[in-house]
Amino acid sequence: MIESSLAGFLDRFRERYPGVEVQLVEEGGTNLPGRLERGHILLALMAADDERFDYRLLHLVLGLAVMSKTHKLVRRHTLDVAELADEPLVLLRGGFASRDWFESACSAAHIWPRAVLESAAPQTAIALAGSGYGIAMVPSTVQIPHEYVHAAALMRRGAVPGGWLRVAWDSQRFLASYAQR
């Protein structure tokens, strides 16, 4: 999220509000609602749908299967999760919403993914996929280096596992005018 959604935004924000210091917290999306509820953070970029918070939808986030340019499935633009049953997979660790979507799709397909690594960093998963170590499962918010890997959209019986990225806040807590804007 930081590299794809916040990096460019923060430059514009600092120009508009030079006296406001933004402190970022890098955290898996499923952990953010608790931090928001406890007041540890004011705003959260998350794909979790949580009725406790007000939010503004930003854009749809999909699951992607990233593989080396030499992988047998490289010509495919979409992959059903059932096709990944026997593939070595590089998954993001628990705490990422995209991991939850992928596991739900696998459960619905009655397959158990064969994880060769659970990573805390999407770029690590992509680098390993590029080396041929396995297929990386990452959200579409991650920047994909298309010069050395191929990304295909994940599907499950024609449906796309994913959710909406939203900026969320707790309406019971004070939110400064610059944060409201």
Side-chain angles (χ1 to χ4, degrees), residues 110-162:
H110 305 292
I111 65 167
W112 188 254
R114 186 166 62 104
V116 293
L117 176 71
E118 293 187 35
S119 177
Q123 292 303 336
T124 298
I126 291 169
L128 288 170
S131 75
Y133 186 68
I135 297 177
M137 300 296 118
V138 298
S140 59
T141 52
V142 174
Q143 292 182 353
I144 305 294
H146 293 284
E147 61 274 6
Y148 79 96
V149 294
H150 171 73
L154 284 175
M155 305 286 284
R156 173 65 192 135
R157 291 190 177 179
V160 180

Side-chain angles (χ1 to χ4, degrees), residues 17 20 42-43 173-181:
Y17 303 100
V20 176
L42 298 177
L43 297 170
R173 296 188 182 277
F174 171 77
L175 195 60
S177 61
Y178 59 81
Q180 291 176 20
R181 286 189 210 109

Side-chain angles (χ1 to χ4, degrees), residues 23-45:
Q23 186 176 29
L24 300 176
V25 175
E26 193 172 23
E27 180 83 59
T30 60
N31 297 325
L32 291 173
R35 293 182 69 114
L36 196 57
E37 183 177 51
R38 290 186 299 278
H40 295 168
I41 56 177
L42 298 177
L43 297 170
L45 285 178

